[in-house]
Amino acid sequence: AQKVTQAQTEISVVEKEDVTLDCVYETRDTTYYLFWYKQPPSGELVFLIRRNSFDEQNEISGRYSWNFQKSTSSFNFTITASQVVDSAVYFCALSEAAPNSGGSNYKLTFGKGTLLTVNP
Amino acid sequence: EADIYQTPRYLVIGTGKKITLECSQTMGHDKMYWYQQDPGMELHLIHYSYGVNSTEKGDLSSESTVSRIRTEHFPLTLESARPSHTSQYLCASSERGGSGSMDPQETQYFGPGTRLLVL
């Protein structure tokens, strides 16, 4: 069974600090995708990034960066110079083939989320 | 990016009432999903659909039912609401992103959610 572990349940930082959110996954699939979503207090899940299993290049988008390490099955997310607006729950997710779909349909397995609080 | 809508955003209702949570998307996505999110944050897939007239149960057993008569519409119904149904319900949709049947390049886009409180 596929599994996503976000060991940090809650993190609290002071504004402008850098913070890294950890994500470790387990899968038997050779082709898979990893995702990060942000859920602000308003409740909606906002898609941040998708990364496929064949692309281990790190990605940077503004203050956000992602470190994908296949050797350790990790896909960590770093926010540089955190801001109060970054306060949210962050979810890591792994795509997996849906049962009885013959590999033609996929669904997400989510981690339990990390609550990030950025204090002024 | 998908435009996906959920109504109502908030609902407070008494035990025993029948309720329908609406979910619509305007992107023509074939696939739609319902998740239940408990107060501890964890997301549980309760229903999904790969297209019109297709519905499947998710990982978490739910007393709710769904229908998919139109591509853009995926309503969730509770015939008799109970306090244990109090939760946030999130709807999502996706389309296949890459070529080939083995490509899991599907990004799910989520609606704003419905917060349900059953008294």
Side-chain angles (χ1 to χ4, degrees), chain B residues 97-117:
Chain B
S99 60
S101 62
M102 294 300 292
D103 182 0
Q105 189 183 339
E106 298 178 1
T107 298
Q108 290 185 22
Y109 295 98
F110 285 79
T114 295
R115 293 185 192 269
L116 172 65
L117 173 61

Side-chain angles (χ1 to χ4, degrees), chain A residues 9 31-33 35 37 39 41-45 47 50 89 91 95 98-99 101-108 110-115, chain B residues 9-10 31 33 35 37 40-43 45 48 50 59 88 90 94 96-97 101-113 115:
Chain A
T9 304
T31 302
Y32 52 90
Y33 277 75
F35 301 79
Y37 285 86
Q39 187 176 37
S42 52
E44 77 276 19
L45 253 71
F47 165 69
R50 177 187 64 228
V89 180
F91 290 93
S95 67
S101 72
S104 61
N105 288 304
Y106 289 80
K107 61 185 178 76
L108 290 179
F110 282 90
K112 293 187 177 183
T114 297
L115 173 61
Chain B
R9 291 294 312 278
Y10 304 93
K31 301 176 184 181
Y33 312 82
Y35 291 85
Q37 186 174 29
M41 304 187 302
E42 194 167 359
L43 284 153
L45 179 68
Y48 56 99
Y50 294 143
D59 303 322
Q88 167 151 269
L90 290 159
S94 69
R96 190 178 303 282
S101 62
M102 294 300 292
D103 182 0
Q105 189 183 339
E106 298 178 1
T107 298
Q108 290 185 22
Y109 295 98
F110 285 79
R115 293 185 192 269

